[in-house]
């Protein structure tokens, strides 16, 4: 796979497929991590005299313009980070995009409006997607793929466009791939994996692979309650995917057979109502054993004994991959489990990888130094699919 160091970019129009899919509160960016992650690649291209055209998706608009999903706030923040003006095109391949990109001088940057405002970006029809890619290709001379969070999507700007232009991987994607290889090839052991988040169904495929590779798998978050149910425990009104219980039973049996520690919570914080995430009003949860959750209560975080247990399981690890929070970390009364896992990673001497948007957001929200971790991935779904052993369309296109 070529990198941007292999491209002659001076005076060229370079299309950078970035991931500027940041969370917004109205027009206010609440977490700019993805913008900061791609900024070094853009800055390098600027320094080398490229005319940089940045494109991304944001949210899930339905193939038509929607002001709620405009990339204008992201373009403004990118300009602040780069320390220079960034032009903004109010469409993707229309008059504004054509005029804004044509006006770029060497070392200048423009951002196109949300790619998903055009139905061709995400179309499952190859011809429709190709037609949109053709129009994007007309804007540029070279292509740089640096939106790792989207490389698992067979979208026009990710898969079709690099097949139409000389292309290379940006520094962010090159780093992501290098790090993920450390989790799949020649892994330093013990190798511990911490999985959280809401739905166990989102993680089953990666668990299937990790049972063959990891030494320990620690489970928290909403997905833990389906595993607890599989072990015969009452989970009250906790998040539960009843249809996944048989699969969870199978994975628990496979892990035991292979000698992989599969660690579930031993205690949890419960409440009869979900916390108010806007006011952050005190929630006053109860602490109960994981096998004694009351029928009218919901598990919302791992408990103090589980936090100690998980920290101990991470202490001697040489490699740790963490994807998914341990509870409703956005509320201070249920942030303790996620905080304990983050601290456990930092207290170990392991090579640590934080994967997934919620985990990365939690690290920042809870005040941890991002640079203290080995790597914070910008692609939750992409990271998981890579670990599952899947071929990612965006990476395959860059390797051609």
């Amino acid at each position: 796979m070529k990198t941007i160091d292999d491209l002659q970019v001076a005076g060229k129009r370079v299309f950078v497929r970035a991931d500027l899919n940041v969370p917004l509160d109205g027009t206010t960016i609440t977490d700019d991590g993805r913008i900061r992650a791609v900024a070094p690649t853009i800055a390098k291209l600027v320094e080398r005299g490229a005319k940089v055209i940045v494109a991304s998706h944001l949210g899930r608009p339905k193939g038509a313009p929607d002001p709620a999903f405009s990339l204008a706030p992201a373009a403004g923040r990118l300009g602040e980070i780069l320390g220079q003006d960034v032009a903004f095109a109010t469409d993707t391949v229309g008059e504004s995009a054509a005029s804004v990109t044509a006006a770029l001088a060497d070392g200048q940057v423009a951002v196109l409006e949300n790619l998903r405002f055009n139905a061709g970006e995400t179309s499952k029809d190859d011809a429709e997607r190709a037609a949109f890619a053709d129009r994007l290709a007309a804007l540029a001379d070279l292509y740089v793929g640096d939106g790792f969070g989207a490389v698992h999507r067979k979208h026009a700007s990710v898969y079709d466009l690099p097949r139409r232009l000389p292309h290379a991987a940006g520094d962010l994607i090159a780093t992501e791939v290098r790090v993920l290889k450390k989790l799949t090839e020649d892994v330093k052991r013990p190798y511990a994996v911490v999985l959280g988040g809401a739905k166990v169904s989102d993680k089953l495929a990666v668990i299937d692979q990790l049972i063959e590779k990891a030494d320990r798998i620690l489970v928290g978050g909403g997905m833990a309650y389906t595993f607890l149910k599989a072990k015969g425990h009452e989970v009250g009104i906790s998040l539960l995917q009843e249809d996944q219980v048989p699969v969870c039973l199978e994975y628990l049996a496979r892990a035991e057979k292979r000698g992989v520690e599969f660690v579930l919570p031993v205690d949890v914080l419960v409440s009869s109502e979900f916390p108010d995430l806007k006011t952050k009003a005190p929630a006053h949860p109860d602490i109960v054993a994981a096998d004694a959750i009351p029928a009218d209560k919901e598990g919302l975080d791992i408990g103090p004994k589980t936090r100690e247990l998980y920290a101990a399981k991470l202490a001697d690890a040489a490699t740790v991959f963490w994807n998914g929070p341990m509870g409703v970390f956005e509320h201070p009364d249920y942030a303790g489990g996620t905080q304990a896992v983050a601290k456990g990673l930092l207290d170990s001497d392991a090579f640590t990888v934080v994967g997934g948007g919620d985990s990365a957001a939690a690290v920042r929200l809870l005040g941890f130094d991002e640079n203290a971790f080995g790597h914070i991935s910008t692609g939750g779904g992409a990271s998981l699919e890579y670990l599952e052993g899947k071929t990612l369309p965006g990476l395959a296109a860059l390797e051609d």
Side-chain angles (χ1 to χ4, degrees):
M1 184 185 296
K2 290 183 179 179
T3 69
I4 56 175
D5 295 329
D6 299 313
L7 296 178
Q8 298 297 320
V9 301
K12 302 289 188 179
R13 298 170 301 160
V14 181
F15 188 106
V16 178
R17 198 343 177 151
D19 181 6
L20 308 181
N21 185 28
V22 292
L24 294 172
D25 182 359
T27 59
T28 301
I29 297 169
T30 57
D31 185 348
D32 67 356
R34 284 176 172 157
I35 302 175
R36 288 186 288 107
V38 76
T41 291
I42 297 170
K44 181 184 285 190
L45 292 168
V46 165
E47 290 168 6
R48 292 171 57 191
K51 302 170 183 179
V52 186
I53 303 164
V54 183
S56 176
H57 70 285
L58 191 151
R60 296 189 178 184
K62 299 179 179 179
D66 183 338
F69 297 106
S70 175
L71 274 173
R77 180 62 184 134
L78 177 62
E80 292 173 355
I81 293 169
L82 294 175
Q84 69 180 77
D85 291 337
V86 169
F88 183 67
T90 57
D91 56 27
T92 55
V93 290
E95 292 182 6
S96 180
S99 61
V100 167
T101 57
L104 287 174
D106 295 356
Q108 291 186 333
V109 181
V111 173
L112 303 181
E113 185 53 285
N114 193 336
L115 290 165
R116 291 186 182 175
F117 286 1
N118 190 304
E121 168 68 1
T122 60
S123 177
K124 296 188 184 304
D125 181 270
D126 290 348
E128 183 180 12
R129 215 175 52 245
F132 183 49
D134 287 340
R135 297 182 71 186
L136 290 172
L139 299 174
D141 305 305
L142 304 170
Y143 176 93
V144 170
D146 216 29
F148 184 73
V151 293
H152 58 316
R153 306 296 187 191
K154 193 176 181 180
H155 291 170
S157 66
V158 176
Y159 177 75
D160 301 272
L161 183 54
R163 300 157 79 95
R164 287 159 168 75
L165 294 170
H167 52 261
D171 288 349
L172 176 58
I173 277 187
T175 298
E176 293 275 11
V177 171
R178 184 170 63 251
V179 166
L180 288 172
K181 283 184 176 179
K182 290 185 178 182
L183 301 179
T184 55
E185 304 171 10
D186 192 28
V187 181
K188 292 184 179 179
R189 299 184 180 280
Y191 177 17
V193 175
V194 186
L195 297 175
K199 294 182 178 181
V200 68
S201 57
D202 292 341
K203 306 288 169 67
L204 286 178
V206 76
I207 293 173
D208 183 62
Q209 292 295 315
L210 289 171
I211 287 175
E212 305 298 318
K213 296 182 174 71
D215 299 300
R216 299 167 192 153
I217 300 175
L218 287 55
V219 177
M223 63 180 286
Y225 301 100
T226 302
F227 278 100
L228 290 171
K229 183 71 172 181
K231 297 197 76 170
H233 301 322
E234 168 66 56
V235 297
I237 58 172
S238 305
L239 190 61
L240 172 66
Q241 290 185 282
E242 190 85 47
D243 61 325
Q244 302 298 334
V245 167
V247 184
C248 291
L249 274 171
E250 177 194 337
Y251 286 173
L252 289 169
R254 274 181 57 200
E256 183 176 8
K257 185 176 180 180
R258 290 191 57 82
V260 176
E261 288 187 77
F262 208 104
V263 190
L264 297 175
V266 294
D267 62 345
V268 295
L269 271 59
V270 300
S271 176
S272 57
E273 55 187 17
F274 198 82
D276 189 325
L277 300 183
K278 288 190 175 180
T279 66
K280 304 292 198 301
H284 307 298
D286 296 321
I287 302 170
V288 300
D291 60 357
I293 298 174
D296 63 343
K297 301 282 187 180
E298 177 179 13
L300 296 166
D301 193 16
I302 58 173
K305 291 182 180 178
T306 305
R307 297 170 197 176
E308 290 181 11
L309 172 64
Y310 285 13
K313 296 294 183 183
L314 296 173
D316 68 340
T319 303
V320 180
F321 173 66
W322 171 31
N323 180 285
M326 297 293 99
V328 187
F329 71 91
E330 300 92 340
H331 191 285
D333 289 347
Y334 300 107
T338 303
Q339 192 165 23
V341 165
K343 188 174 185 300
L345 265 69
L346 296 182
D347 287 346
S348 74
D349 292 325
F351 173 67
T352 56
V353 179
V354 180
D358 284 344
S359 305
V363 163
R364 290 187 278 270
L365 179 67
L366 299 175
F368 289 95
D369 179 4
E370 295 176 67
N371 296 321
F373 297 88
H375 179 69
I376 296 183
S377 178
T378 56
S383 297
L384 290 178
E385 291 196 18
Y386 187 99
L387 294 178
E388 290 166 21
K390 290 184 177 179
T391 296
L392 307 187
L395 295 185
L398 292 174
E399 288 169 352
D400 288 345

